[in-house]
Amino acid sequence: MQLKVFTKSSSVHDFSFPHITSSNFKIKNGVAVNLHPPYHGQGRKGFLKDEETQIRFIENPNCERLMVTRNGGLPEDMLVEILSKLPVKSLIRLKCVCKPYCGQKLSLYPDQTLSNLSHHDIDPQIPVLRQIMGPHDGLFCLYGYNQIFLWNPATRETMALPKCRNPMLMRPFDPGAYYCNIGFGLDPMNNDYKLVLIRTLWDDETHLFYECFHVSMYNLSTNSWKDFEVVELTQYSLHKRSDSLYSNGICYWSAIRDNKDHQVILSFHMSDEILREIEGPNIPESMSADLGLYNGSLSLLLIDTV
Amino acid sequence: MSKLGQAKRIIFLKTADGQLFEVDEPVAMEFEIVKSFFDENEDAADDTVVPLPNVSAEPLAGIIEFCKAHVEFRANGAAGKDEVKKFNAEYIKEKSNEQLKELILAANYLNIKEMLDFLTETIANRLKNKSVEYVRAFFGIENDFTPQEEEAVRKEYEWAFEGVDED
């Protein structure tokens, strides 16, 4: 057996996130996060914190304006500073302080205490789990049977994403008819968590795959899906079990380029929302290729059974 | 001026309640607002009085005490050592919540980063294991839940209410 590692130069993308694979289920970082609004005056922002960025703000247009005066005369940035230094448990308790502090959606908060956490039970409400992605800032994405969830073990909250409609198949949802490849991560430009769903569609009439993907994206700040035009990517096919790799604002998948019978890497930029092929080595279809991060750079681990 | 290495330069600060403070230059320069005052007025006379219309005498005295000690710690290479932790702990020990809030407002106006970090940390530590009622009182927040609504939220997050300190 032969092992090869292909590394894409980190000068192309500045990878700064620690290497966390979807199967690595420990919480690695101090963690953090945001989302809806709780603690600020303007009310349309949530705060989040992670190891590298300190505090960031996320717009949340779903939130009502909060009352600016609800901070005992302390300036808003001081209030955020103070609250961001509280452990998760305290922040959750503060949901009872007043209504604006009590969010409607998933709440995610900074916490150093999580670094001691080694395992956590998944909410039993989540049905048959197929795939786990993350964590990104303490937030996991769980792909259950016919449903996607976001889960924050620190706050013990799970949120079921709204269903993403299927534009191609008008008949009832049949999970066996097609499969999904999911990418999940932060859009660093807009400070929003996004989930990209690439669906390979199956036509029951012809018993063939449609010659295109359908790409949809979910934004956490608006809690809504956005459909892209159906992407004519006839030259690519994604593996049914191809896990995505997220790094620094970009999701990657390995895919097969049909006409050339070799493997390529597809990337989806969370910020500019474009799916594209990135330059890579010429990998024969017969080799198994796993995406990963190696010394902070995007890498492909190739296993060749000689 | 201290051109000849003689007397230390003194900066004059005037508070909202009309008190005049004489502060050693290195300590006053910890206050970003004072520093930029002199950066913008390079030809300011040595006896210029810097007005601080948003700060009253009591918190300013406390802030000067803190910054003076920290300037000395840095000069002695003691920054980050136990000595500093001990000073900080003593410094906040007798301060009431009201005093802390006044300090943080003043330090925010004067823009003293080190002190703000310390004060926000201190306040977070005070609030960490406290009840909802305590936090409401601290920030002056009115409870707008009905008893039933509040009970429902408490029930939902029951685990977060275990192990809360007495107020």
Side-chain angles (χ1 to χ4, degrees):
Chain A
M1 194 188 288
Q2 204 182 353
L3 285 179
K4 290 179 197 160
V5 175
F6 156 71
T7 307
K8 186 169 172 61
S9 161
S10 59
S11 61
V12 178
H13 304 294
D14 181 20
F15 295 111
S16 56
F17 282 74
H19 181 189
I20 302 164
T21 68
S22 56
S23 58
N24 185 344
F25 202 43
K26 282 182 187 169
I27 305 283
K28 288 270 190 143
N29 299 325
V31 186
V33 192
N34 111 48
L35 299 221
H36 65 148
Y39 298 97
H40 313 233
Q42 299 307 331
R44 292 169 65 86
K45 291 173 175 176
F47 62 89
L48 70 86
K49 186 178 165 186
D50 66 28
E51 283 189 330
E52 289 160 32
T53 54
Q54 299 303 315
I55 293 184
R56 293 186 293 233
F57 291 89
I58 290 190
E59 289 289 334
N60 188 345
N62 287 347
C63 295
E64 303 273 317
R65 277 182 70 82
L66 301 191
M67 270 166 261
V68 183
T69 51
R70 296 188 170 233
N71 55 17
L74 291 186
E76 188 177 309
D77 51 346
M78 289 296 100
L79 193 67
V80 174
E81 274 296 316
I82 293 168
L83 296 171
S84 69
K85 286 172 178 165
L86 288 174
V88 171
K89 195 173 167 185
S90 310
L91 286 169
I92 292 288
R93 200 163 56 239
L94 297 193
K95 278 174 175 283
C96 274
V97 163
C98 61
K99 284 180 183 171
Y101 277 29
C102 184
Q104 314 87 331
K105 264 208 307 187
L106 192 66
S107 53
L108 305 157
Y109 302 109
D111 188 15
Q112 283 82 38
T113 59
L114 276 188
S115 49
N116 302 323
L117 193 69
S118 56
H119 73 275
H120 225 292
D121 293 333
I122 294 178
D123 189 329
Q125 289 172 17
I126 298 175
V128 192
L129 198 62
R130 289 181 167 182
Q131 206 180 346
I132 297 162
M133 278 161 290
H136 301 303
D137 298 332
L139 191 62
F140 287 90
C141 170
L142 311 173
Y143 177 35
Y145 182 75
N146 192 5
Q147 178 85 59
I148 301 168
F149 299 84
L150 295 179
W151 174 52
N152 184 343
T155 60
R156 309 187 192 188
E157 286 174 297
T158 5
M159 184 178 109
L161 265 53
K163 289 269 169 64
C164 176
R165 73 190 175 84
N166 182 342
M168 300 286 285
L169 304 175
M170 300 315 288
R171 66 196 65 123
F173 190 101
D174 175 4
Y178 66 92
Y179 56 90
C180 300
N181 293 86
I182 299 175
F184 170 64
L186 177 72
D187 164 4
M189 300 278 285
N190 301 301
N191 284 331
D192 190 8
Y193 288 85
K194 291 180 175 176
L195 186 140
V196 56
L197 190 62
I198 302 179
R199 288 183 288 185
T200 302
L201 306 170
W202 176 257
D203 186 347
D204 269 355
E205 305 289 326
T206 61
H207 293 275
L208 288 170
F209 283 112
Y210 280 99
E211 290 191 325
C212 57
F213 296 145
H214 182 258
V215 182
S216 333
M217 198 183 67
Y218 169 82
N219 286 35
L220 187 53
S221 62
T222 57
N223 189 32
S224 62
W225 288 94
K226 169 173 161 183
D227 284 327
F228 291 93
E229 294 294 309
V230 171
V231 187
E232 292 281 343
L233 284 173
T234 50
Q235 70 269 46
Y236 301 107
S237 56
L238 279 160
H239 297 288
K240 190 170 182 177
R241 284 302 217 156
S242 178
D243 286 341
S244 70
L245 177 84
Y246 170 84
S247 177
N248 211 28
I250 306 170
C251 282
Y252 302 94
W253 296 263
S254 61
I256 306 279
R257 187 159 181 174
D258 292 339
N259 56 353
K260 290 186 181 167
D261 281 346
H262 72 252
Q263 299 184 59
V264 294
I265 301 168
L266 293 179
S267 73
F268 185 86
H269 283 242
M270 294 303 204
S271 301
D272 67 16
E273 302 176 356
I274 295 173
L275 185 70
R276 49 168 88 86
E277 180 188 330
I278 64 168
E279 283 178 43
N282 204 340
I283 313 151
E285 197 187 339
S286 60
M287 289 174 97
S288 146
D290 284 319
L291 281 171
L293 288 181
Y294 182 73
N295 286 342
S297 296
L298 179 64
S299 67
L300 268 180
L301 179 67
L302 306 176
I303 302 171
D304 192 9
T305 41
V306 180
Chain B
M1 280 270 294
S2 56
K3 271 180 190 165
L4 301 171
Q6 292 166 346
K8 281 189 289 184
R9 186 181 176 194
I10 299 290
I11 305 286
F12 298 94
L13 306 174
K14 194 173 183 184
T15 59
D17 45 353
Q19 287 216 39
L20 194 66
F21 282 77
E22 297 178 12
V23 187
D24 290 344
E25 185 183 11
V27 176
M29 291 305 158
E30 291 285 289
F31 311 167
E32 205 52 50
I33 197 170
V34 174
K35 194 168 173 290
S36 30
F37 178 89
F38 284 102
D39 287 348
E40 286 160 21
N41 303 285
E42 282 180 355
D43 48 357
D46 279 2
D47 58 354
T48 301
V49 175
V50 183
L52 301 174
N54 289 334
V55 181
S56 54
E58 196 196 316
L60 184 63
I63 285 174
I64 291 169
E65 179 197 351
F66 182 90
C67 290
K68 197 172 172 215
H70 279 257
V71 165
E72 280 167 21
F73 288 139
R74 281 205 297 274
N76 304 335
K81 294 194 177 147
D82 287 351
E83 209 181 317
V84 182
K85 284 183 194 147
K86 205 175 147 205
F87 170 86
N88 286 350
E90 280 297 314
Y91 180 82
I92 52 151
K93 210 165 109 188
E94 302 297 325
K95 300 264 189 294
S96 69
N97 285 345
E98 283 312 307
Q99 282 173 316
L100 275 184
K101 278 195 274 181
E102 278 179 21
L103 280 175
I104 201 169
L105 283 171
N108 186 46
Y109 170 72
L110 297 169
N111 196 1
I112 313 165
K113 191 175 179 305
E114 187 183 6
M115 188 160 185
L116 280 174
D117 285 346
F118 167 68
L119 289 172
T120 49
E121 186 82 51
T122 302
I123 294 174
N125 276 331
R126 278 205 189 175
L127 299 179
K128 193 164 66 179
N129 294 321
K130 289 292 198 281
S131 69
V132 169
E133 291 75 14
Y134 188 95
V135 176
R136 275 187 201 133
F138 187 92
F139 290 122
I141 295 167
E142 199 186 313
N143 180 11
D144 56 358
F145 284 111
T146 65
Q148 292 81 4
E149 286 169 338
E150 184 175 339
E151 189 50 39
V153 181
R154 278 180 191 259
K155 207 160 177 210
E156 188 178 354
Y157 299 101
E158 214 172 354
W159 60 275
F161 289 85
E162 293 158 6
V164 173
D165 294 346
E166 299 224 347
D167 290 351

